[in-house]
Amino acid sequence: MDEVLLLSRIQFAVTVFYHFLFVPLTLGLVILVAIMETKYARTLDQTYKRMADYWGKLFAINFVLGVITGITMEFQFGTNWSEYSKYMGDIFGSPLAIEALAAFFLESTFMGIWLFGKDRFSPKLRAVSIWMVALGTNISALWIITANGFMQNPVGYVLNNGRVELNSFAELVTNPYAWYMFVHTVVSAYIVGAFFMMAISAYHLLRKNETAFYKKSFKYGLAMALFSATLTPFIGHQSGVFAAKMQPAKGAAMEAVWETQKGMPFHLIQIPDQENQRNAFAAISIPKIGSFLYTNSFNGEVTGFNDLPKDEQPNIELVFYAFRLMVALGIFFLAVSWYGLYLYRKNKLETSPKYLKLVLYSVLLPYLAINAGWMVAEAGRQPWVVYGLMKTSDGVSPIASSQIVFSLAALIIFYTVLLVADVYLIVKYAKKGPESEAHYSLGGGVKHVS
């Protein structure tokens, strides 16, 4: 069973990882495209139409391939995690059903109108359509995170005949853990979308291609980067405080806290040693900051692993380093965004090749940061699949490991093909650039009806 458990966890992790390479860009880029469509609908300035069409094409590629990767993910609850599904089906199925019936149909319907009505509908209808797609993607994220939020912080349930059953739908949808996760995830996705737009714009600015077009595109990406990168530390801090309160082991793992203490210092440099239940090295300590970061009080008490069951410890090194990586990258995004604002306002953006190259080469870092955050959330919850109610080892299906090996190999091949196709198409059309101004002046894309 240990081998089945390990393989099942690897398979689900691989599936989620591949799928989540598409989701953040969808959530972040759709808002920017919707803003451009709105600007065109209000001004009828062809520049905004060119921007909406160009960035919308890249969004559509990512959206369509992302939907495909999400379809197979939910099947694993019945194949690899049947015991979990039996135990949690009454609650876990509700938000996922709503997500499929409401959010997915909302976004897919209006995506069709926006995508295939390009030359048929008025600018205002297209703007409304893409905003509905944006609403649908965010509602979809909300319901999925609501389901995950219950796994992190079970609320609104009763235990009946060895199963978790929904007792209060209101408590389920107002679960504070889920809302902290949702806001933190969505704002982090805005960083992904912003840096994606800034990086592609930087690529063309370095080559002096369509300078006015890409400078304006960079401005929109930079505005979203400033908003999201500045907001994220505050959201992340409150999310971390709540997580440490509800899951003390996760909180202890994020900072490798071994002894419960008040007025805990924060160590800038630290090396945890889980095997010996101590820190192998700690240096540059700032008094009481650790307590503030975890309790909002400089003298707050932070629970250490000495007061927690040893068999309920997560992989401390994994959570610790993932958390530090996420925080370090968050500071990096903040610095890059504000320095970009300085260059833009001084009209030095196009003459700052080092900065443009930095932005270009940073395009994948927001993906790394957001996945590190989810690693903290999910690995930090272990060994629980539903915190305090069900261990991960109790949720796995009674199947042969050979079956998982086959499906795991097939998934990796299938998802890798999709990822390669996504990257190839995005790079191809990103390099190609927007349609020429002549295309629009000759009437391309303007045959619409109200």
Side-chain angles (χ1 to χ4, degrees), residues 39-80:
K39 292 286 289 185
Y40 174 62
R42 288 181 175 177
T43 66
L44 296 182
D45 184 339
Q46 294 295 331
T47 300
Y48 291 112
K49 181 167 181 57
R50 293 181 73 212
M51 291 170 67
D53 287 350
Y54 174 71
W55 295 108
K57 181 181 293 184
L58 301 182
F59 161 74
I61 293 169
N62 185 79
F63 177 87
V64 172
L65 293 176
V67 168
I68 298 173
T69 63
I71 292 174
T72 58
M73 187 169 63
E74 294 184 12
F75 287 107
Q76 291 191 42
F77 295 115
T79 56
N80 295 65

Side-chain angles (χ1 to χ4, degrees), residues 223-282:
M224 177 171 275
L226 283 165
F227 167 78
S228 50
T230 303
L231 199 58
T232 295
F234 299 99
I235 297 171
H237 169 68
Q238 294 301 326
S239 181
V241 169
F242 190 78
K245 178 182 177 181
M246 304 308 298
Q247 297 183 22
K250 179 185 291 184
M254 287 191 290
E255 191 52 37
V257 182
W258 306 101
E259 302 292 331
T260 299
Q261 55 186 302
K262 294 182 179 180
M264 185 185 78
F266 174 74
H267 307 292
L268 287 176
I269 303 174
Q270 193 170 334
I271 301 176
D273 180 5
Q274 185 167 4
E275 183 178 353
N276 296 304
Q277 297 289 286
R278 64 183 180 87
N279 287 322
F281 181 78

Side-chain angles (χ1 to χ4, degrees), residues 2 13 93 99 102 135 178-179 239 266 294 298 304 313 330 343 365-366 368 399 413 419 424 444:
D2 288 343
E99 185 271 335
L135 177 63
W179 281 98
S239 181
F266 174 74
Y294 284 86
F298 290 106
Q313 290 184 6
L343 291 176
L365 294 183
L368 182 60
I399 56 178
I413 293 172
L419 182 60
Y424 170 77

Side-chain angles (χ1 to χ4, degrees), residues 437-444 446:
E437 293 182 1
H439 170 81
Y440 292 92
S441 63
L442 291 173
V446 297

Side-chain angles (χ1 to χ4, degrees), residues 236-358:
H237 169 68
Q238 294 301 326
S239 181
V241 169
F242 190 78
K245 178 182 177 181
M246 304 308 298
Q247 297 183 22
K250 179 185 291 184
M254 287 191 290
E255 191 52 37
V257 182
W258 306 101
E259 302 292 331
T260 299
Q261 55 186 302
K262 294 182 179 180
M264 185 185 78
F266 174 74
H267 307 292
L268 287 176
I269 303 174
Q270 193 170 334
I271 301 176
D273 180 5
Q274 185 167 4
E275 183 178 353
N276 296 304
Q277 297 289 286
R278 64 183 180 87
N279 287 322
F281 181 78
I284 314 179
S285 302
I286 307 175
K288 298 191 176 185
I289 294 298
S291 282
F292 177 78
L293 292 176
Y294 284 86
T295 67
N296 280 330
S297 170
F298 290 106
N299 294 310
E301 183 175 272
V302 180
T303 303
F305 284 113
N306 65 313
D307 285 333
L308 298 170
K310 192 171 182 178
D311 63 348
E312 294 182 9
Q313 290 184 6
N315 185 320
I316 296 171
E317 284 94 345
L318 178 63
V319 176
F320 175 84
Y321 289 116
F323 179 70
R324 294 240 164 168
L325 175 62
M326 177 185 66
V327 172
L329 287 174
I331 295 171
F332 173 78
F333 301 144
L334 195 61
V336 170
S337 300
W338 281 99
Y339 186 60
L341 177 64
Y342 165 78
L343 291 176
Y344 189 90
R345 295 189 61 148
K346 293 292 184 180
N347 203 28
K348 295 180 179 179
L349 183 65
E350 299 158 71
T351 57
S352 303
K354 290 183 179 179
Y355 175 77
L356 292 174
K357 288 179 181 179
L358 176 65

